Amino acid sequence: NEIDNGAILGFGAELDTDHPGFHDQDYKRRRQSISDSARLHQMGTVIPHLEYQDQEVECWAHVLNNLQELFPKYACREYLSAFSLCGFSPYQVPQLEDMSSLLQRHTGWAIRPVAGLLHPRSFLNGLAFKIFHSTQYIRHHGSPMYTPEPDICHELIGHVPMLLNPDYSALVHAIGIASLGADEKQIWHLTRVYWYTVEFGVVFEADVPKAFGAGILSSFGELEHCGKSNAEIRMLDPYAKLPKMSYKDGYQTVYFALKSFKAGSDLLKEFSNEMKSRMPP
């Protein structure tokens, strides 16, 4: 069945009191409009063009320009190679339909707009079918270098370039496959595996950890924090109990590493297969 992209846990139009845009009624109405549009989208149809406002384009440009200064030093080589394929420009916010078409040509993935944060089961199930659910709204212009939730900057700058890499996209797909038929305890473990790879993973290059997680690559502060070795680095073991995910407690204190994306995709395929073998028929 098609995932209900309007059935969200949060981070849609309703904002917490500590959100940078909480007191901005125009921003909240804009979020509502974009979220409502996402709810109407059906798989297999064109993602409607969204005309971003000048203030939103300026916010996108600020984020993009600042991050690009750090990428050569701290991002992994696969990200740097794929980033150039995306054609990101500070003068316009990319359209999800264009980015989805790019992914389909390279790795067979597609993007679908979502109203906010999906339940982990729904989001992970989408990955099993090579569907990446993406928000379209942008962080508040008053705080361009911080967002408490996924926004278009995080989705496109953080996730899309890496999904152009076959080995990496196979890794993400394996997590999605493992989620099909999983019980609640397994879903939350898979959410942590996703968190410590797809969002906050690093990969070794000549014994130096380089960022590939979208949560690192889309955050100026997190990228610098990670790159300057201000946190513990552990090798990923998807079978082990992983630390509690930290959303609002500052930068990550531990990152999990892969030897390579090929090794990582093989590891997670093996993990997925073993997990599926233990599920009841």
Side-chain angles (χ1 to χ4, degrees):
N1 293 332
E2 187 169 312
I3 290 170
D4 183 353
N5 62 346
I8 59 175
L9 293 179
F11 297 137
E14 298 297 323
L15 307 181
D16 290 340
T17 55
D18 60 349
H19 191 285
F22 179 75
H23 297 289
D24 188 336
Q25 297 306 313
D26 288 339
Y27 177 76
K28 290 167 81 171
R29 282 191 290 269
R30 174 68 168 163
R31 286 271 293 244
Q32 183 70 63
S33 173
I34 294 173
S35 293
D36 288 346
S37 175
R39 285 186 171 92
L40 299 175
H41 183 261
Q42 295 182 334
M43 281 302 302
T45 64
V46 174
I47 302 172
H49 181 92
L50 183 59
E51 195 67 41
Y52 286 94
Q53 300 170 351
D54 290 346
Q55 206 168 46
E56 293 170 325
V57 176
E58 290 172 7
C59 184
W60 161 266
H62 185 90
V63 175
L64 180 66
N65 289 337
N66 277 276
L67 287 171
Q68 283 189 111
E69 294 180 4
L70 296 182
F71 287 156
K73 188 173 183 180
Y74 299 130
C76 70
R77 64 172 69 95
E78 288 84 355
Y79 179 84
L80 296 175
S81 176
F83 184 85
S84 62
L85 299 174
C86 296
F88 293 145
S89 164
Y91 304 109
Q92 63 179 11
V93 182
Q95 296 295 319
L96 288 191
E97 179 65 26
D98 294 336
M99 294 294 99
S100 184
S101 296
L102 179 67
L103 288 177
Q104 287 179 310
R105 291 196 301 272
H106 284 267
T107 52
W109 280 70
I111 295 175
R112 188 182 182 206
V114 67
L117 186 69
L118 287 173
H119 186 282
R121 180 181 297 278
S122 296
F123 182 80
L124 295 175
N125 283 178
L127 303 180
F129 299 94
K130 299 187 177 181
I131 302 296
F132 188 85
H133 286 85
S134 170
T135 55
Q136 284 180 290
Y137 48 72
I138 198 164
R139 62 195 66 186
H140 191 264
H141 57 273
S143 185
M145 299 312 292
Y146 168 74
T147 176
E149 78 274 277
D151 74 328
I152 194 73
C153 299
H154 170 81
E155 313 283 32
L156 298 190
I157 298 174
H159 285 292
V160 168
M162 287 305 305
L163 283 171
L164 290 168
N165 180 272
D167 286 327
Y168 171 84
S169 60
L171 177 157
V172 180
H173 186 233
I175 297 174
I177 291 293
S179 75
L180 298 178
D183 61 30
E184 282 301 298
K185 183 177 180 181
Q186 291 169 325
I187 285 293
W188 286 107
H189 178 71
L190 285 169
T191 301
R192 293 189 184 192
V193 173
Y194 177 91
W195 179 265
Y196 286 112
T197 53
V198 181
E199 292 294 348
F200 290 99
V202 297
V203 62
F204 279 109
E205 293 180 8
D207 297 325
V208 177
K210 297 286 187 175
F212 71 83
I216 307 173
L217 292 165
S218 62
S219 167
F220 186 90
E222 188 82 43
L223 184 56
E224 198 166 45
H225 169 78
C226 176
K228 290 184 176 179
S229 302
N230 291 325
E232 179 185 357
I233 306 291
R234 302 180 196 169
M235 296 305 298
L236 177 70
D237 179 0
Y239 299 93
K241 183 177 180 180
L242 295 170
K244 177 184 176 182
M245 297 177 292
S246 173
Y247 290 92
K248 294 185 178 181
D249 299 330
Y251 303 134
Q252 302 295 302
T253 58
V254 58
Y255 298 103
F256 286 84
L258 305 176
K259 292 180 180 178
S260 70
F261 291 113
K262 179 63 168 63
S265 65
D266 288 346
L267 172 64
L268 285 172
K269 285 177 185 176
E270 177 186 282
F271 169 71
S272 176
N273 290 336
E274 182 170 326
M275 189 171 167
K276 298 295 284 185
S277 71
R278 298 199 305 269
M279 291 180 187

